[in-house]
Amino acid sequence: MSSESAGRAWRSGRFLIDRAQPLADDALHLYCPGGKDLPVEHLITLALLPIHDWNSALLEGASEGPITQFDSISACVFAIDPFRRIRDLLLELKQNNFHWVTNFPSAEAIDGEMRTTLDDLGFGLQKELEFVDEARALGFAVAAFATTTFSASLMLENGATALVTPDASMIDVASLPSGVPVIQLEGHRSV
């Protein structure tokens, strides 16, 4: 799916695990070193498991070297991390030359009772919307992870510039503001 954002045409989204050095192509690269030990085809679901410190891996990976092609890399931030102040994390990412951020892993990958429980505890969509607000206030462009038209609309209302989704058919693009990039992830499979 072709998208225009900030003068950049993105046809798809791709996870970038090992280094923040993307291929020279037309994909938005979602930088997520926290997923290095997880199968990328199941990363959307498995990344939420409490088996690693996602945001520490992000900061460690970002500090390993310069970031190139700023407009095609988005740092994947675990926005509902209960152990870290998101503002501090975003400021550190800014020091490491990131211009884009994405709320990933995301509670959006969960549904049913577990999703309701996360929302009730304050670790669901509302906390991710607060992340979008904070990131925009600090000058980041946000490629927000969303799985439904409802959450996509809220992400855009809170300042997201683009949307990232595992399944673009689940979002009614016609109901969104015109020109908003909806970027579908490559190679995603549900677990």
mmCIF file of all heavy atoms in Angstrom, residues 15 24 38 48 69 74 100 104 132 142 145 158 160 170 172 178 186:
data_model
loop_
_atom_site.group_PDB
_atom_site.id
_atom_site.type_symbol
_atom_site.label_atom_id
_atom_site.label_comp_id
_atom_site.label_asym_id
_atom_site.label_seq_id
_atom_site.Cartn_x
_atom_site.Cartn_y
_atom_site.Cartn_z
ATOM 1 N N PHE A 15 10.107 -4.823 10.198
ATOM 2 C CA PHE A 15 10.843 -4.816 11.457
ATOM 3 C C PHE A 15 12.336 -4.805 11.178
ATOM 4 O O PHE A 15 12.831 -5.529 10.322
ATOM 5 C CB PHE A 15 10.486 -6.034 12.308
ATOM 6 C CG PHE A 15 9.099 -5.981 12.866
ATOM 7 C CD1 PHE A 15 8.159 -6.927 12.510
ATOM 8 C CD2 PHE A 15 8.724 -4.980 13.747
ATOM 9 C CE1 PHE A 15 6.878 -6.881 13.018
ATOM 10 C CE2 PHE A 15 7.438 -4.920 14.257
ATOM 11 C CZ PHE A 15 6.522 -5.873 13.897
ATOM 12 N N ALA A 24 17.997 0.344 1.718
ATOM 13 C CA ALA A 24 17.610 1.503 0.911
ATOM 14 C C ALA A 24 16.395 1.110 0.076
ATOM 15 O O ALA A 24 16.519 0.726 -1.066
ATOM 16 C CB ALA A 24 18.771 1.936 0.029
ATOM 17 N N LEU A 38 13.158 -13.291 19.250
ATOM 18 C CA LEU A 38 11.794 -13.726 18.957
ATOM 19 C C LEU A 38 11.618 -13.920 17.448
ATOM 20 O O LEU A 38 12.208 -13.184 16.662
ATOM 21 C CB LEU A 38 10.788 -12.680 19.458
ATOM 22 C CG LEU A 38 10.845 -12.362 20.950
ATOM 23 C CD1 LEU A 38 9.930 -11.190 21.272
ATOM 24 C CD2 LEU A 38 10.486 -13.570 21.771
ATOM 25 N N LEU A 48 4.937 -8.750 23.587
ATOM 26 C CA LEU A 48 4.271 -8.321 24.819
ATOM 27 C C LEU A 48 4.567 -9.222 26.019
ATOM 28 O O LEU A 48 4.264 -8.866 27.148
ATOM 29 C CB LEU A 48 2.757 -8.265 24.604
ATOM 30 C CG LEU A 48 2.286 -7.088 23.773
ATOM 31 C CD1 LEU A 48 0.861 -7.301 23.311
ATOM 32 C CD2 LEU A 48 2.415 -5.796 24.558
ATOM 33 N N GLN A 69 19.405 7.545 7.518
ATOM 34 C CA GLN A 69 18.100 7.605 6.859
ATOM 35 C C GLN A 69 16.978 7.847 7.883
ATOM 36 O O GLN A 69 16.064 7.065 8.023
ATOM 37 C CB GLN A 69 17.830 6.333 6.061
ATOM 38 C CG GLN A 69 18.803 6.135 4.921
ATOM 39 C CD GLN A 69 18.480 4.913 4.106
ATOM 40 O OE1 GLN A 69 17.397 4.362 4.172
ATOM 41 N NE2 GLN A 69 19.429 4.490 3.311
ATOM 42 N N SER A 74 11.638 4.180 12.571
ATOM 43 C CA SER A 74 10.829 4.569 13.721
ATOM 44 C C SER A 74 11.226 3.685 14.901
ATOM 45 O O SER A 74 11.222 2.457 14.797
ATOM 46 C CB SER A 74 9.342 4.393 13.402
ATOM 47 O OG SER A 74 8.564 4.888 14.473
ATOM 48 N N TRP A 100 11.230 9.565 14.410
ATOM 49 C CA TRP A 100 9.954 8.852 14.425
ATOM 50 C C TRP A 100 9.920 7.879 15.589
ATOM 51 O O TRP A 100 10.938 7.271 15.919
ATOM 52 C CB TRP A 100 9.779 8.040 13.131
ATOM 53 C CG TRP A 100 9.445 8.851 11.938
ATOM 54 C CD1 TRP A 100 10.330 9.451 11.073
ATOM 55 C CD2 TRP A 100 8.150 9.146 11.444
ATOM 56 N NE1 TRP A 100 9.648 10.103 10.088
ATOM 57 C CE2 TRP A 100 8.311 9.928 10.284
ATOM 58 C CE3 TRP A 100 6.857 8.821 11.871
ATOM 59 C CZ2 TRP A 100 7.231 10.392 9.546
ATOM 60 C CZ3 TRP A 100 5.790 9.283 11.125
ATOM 61 C CH2 TRP A 100 5.972 10.062 9.987
ATOM 62 N N PHE A 104 5.021 0.388 19.974
ATOM 63 C CA PHE A 104 5.122 -1.052 19.742
ATOM 64 C C PHE A 104 6.204 -1.618 20.629
ATOM 65 O O PHE A 104 7.269 -1.035 20.705
ATOM 66 C CB PHE A 104 5.462 -1.351 18.272
ATOM 67 C CG PHE A 104 5.517 -2.822 18.004
ATOM 68 C CD1 PHE A 104 4.366 -3.520 17.704
ATOM 69 C CD2 PHE A 104 6.714 -3.516 18.101
ATOM 70 C CE1 PHE A 104 4.407 -4.892 17.498
ATOM 71 C CE2 PHE A 104 6.765 -4.874 17.902
ATOM 72 C CZ PHE A 104 5.616 -5.564 17.596
ATOM 73 N N VAL A 132 1.465 9.017 22.534
ATOM 74 C CA VAL A 132 1.410 9.781 21.288
ATOM 75 C C VAL A 132 1.452 11.278 21.603
ATOM 76 O O VAL A 132 2.221 12.030 20.987
ATOM 77 C CB VAL A 132 0.156 9.418 20.451
ATOM 78 C CG1 VAL A 132 0.010 10.346 19.246
ATOM 79 C CG2 VAL A 132 0.212 7.967 20.000
ATOM 80 N N VAL A 142 4.956 10.551 14.850
ATOM 81 C CA VAL A 142 4.500 9.273 15.401
ATOM 82 C C VAL A 142 3.832 8.444 14.315
ATOM 83 O O VAL A 142 2.872 8.882 13.691
ATOM 84 C CB VAL A 142 3.512 9.484 16.571
ATOM 85 C CG1 VAL A 142 3.038 8.146 17.117
ATOM 86 C CG2 VAL A 142 4.152 10.322 17.668
ATOM 87 N N PHE A 145 0.843 2.474 16.067
ATOM 88 C CA PHE A 145 0.371 1.112 15.836
ATOM 89 C C PHE A 145 -1.107 1.070 16.194
ATOM 90 O O PHE A 145 -1.507 1.468 17.290
ATOM 91 C CB PHE A 145 1.153 0.128 16.706
ATOM 92 C CG PHE A 145 0.868 -1.312 16.401
ATOM 93 C CD1 PHE A 145 1.595 -1.988 15.437
ATOM 94 C CD2 PHE A 145 -0.124 -2.006 17.078
ATOM 95 C CE1 PHE A 145 1.340 -3.325 15.151
ATOM 96 C CE2 PHE A 145 -0.389 -3.329 16.806
ATOM 97 C CZ PHE A 145 0.343 -3.992 15.835
ATOM 98 N N ASN A 158 -4.903 12.334 18.476
ATOM 99 C CA ASN A 158 -3.885 12.675 19.464
ATOM 100 C C ASN A 158 -2.564 13.096 18.831
ATOM 101 O O ASN A 158 -1.597 13.316 19.543
ATOM 102 C CB ASN A 158 -3.675 11.514 20.426
ATOM 103 C CG ASN A 158 -4.764 11.463 21.470
ATOM 104 O OD1 ASN A 158 -5.936 11.491 21.142
ATOM 105 N ND2 ASN A 158 -4.395 11.393 22.729
ATOM 106 N N ALA A 160 -0.874 11.494 15.903
ATOM 107 C CA ALA A 160 -0.095 10.581 15.061
ATOM 108 C C ALA A 160 -0.066 11.105 13.630
ATOM 109 O O ALA A 160 -1.049 11.661 13.131
ATOM 110 C CB ALA A 160 -0.684 9.173 15.102
ATOM 111 N N MET A 170 -8.501 -4.187 8.340
ATOM 112 C CA MET A 170 -9.256 -3.982 9.577
ATOM 113 C C MET A 170 -9.493 -2.499 9.882
ATOM 114 O O MET A 170 -10.176 -2.161 10.836
ATOM 115 C CB MET A 170 -8.534 -4.645 10.754
ATOM 116 C CG MET A 170 -8.395 -6.150 10.603
ATOM 117 S SD MET A 170 -9.970 -7.004 10.431
ATOM 118 C CE MET A 170 -10.649 -6.785 12.058
ATOM 119 N N ASP A 172 -10.881 1.097 8.337
ATOM 120 C CA ASP A 172 -11.664 1.745 7.285
ATOM 121 C C ASP A 172 -10.956 3.044 6.903
ATOM 122 O O ASP A 172 -11.194 4.099 7.484
ATOM 123 C CB ASP A 172 -13.079 2.012 7.777
ATOM 124 C CG ASP A 172 -13.939 2.722 6.747
ATOM 125 O OD1 ASP A 172 -13.524 2.805 5.567
ATOM 126 O OD2 ASP A 172 -15.022 3.197 7.126
ATOM 127 N N SER A 178 -8.012 12.349 4.826
ATOM 128 C CA SER A 178 -7.350 11.984 3.569
ATOM 129 C C SER A 178 -5.855 12.234 3.665
ATOM 130 O O SER A 178 -5.403 13.162 4.313
ATOM 131 C CB SER A 178 -7.973 12.740 2.406
ATOM 132 O OG SER A 178 -7.318 13.931 2.158
ATOM 133 N N GLU A 186 4.931 -6.111 6.863
ATOM 134 C CA GLU A 186 5.237 -7.275 6.027
ATOM 135 C C GLU A 186 5.391 -8.513 6.895
ATOM 136 O O GLU A 186 5.905 -8.445 8.009
ATOM 137 C CB GLU A 186 6.561 -7.068 5.297
ATOM 138 C CG GLU A 186 6.531 -5.995 4.267
ATOM 139 C CD GLU A 186 7.889 -5.832 3.591
ATOM 140 O OE1 GLU A 186 8.862 -6.493 3.987
ATOM 141 O OE2 GLU A 186 7.960 -5.013 2.669
#
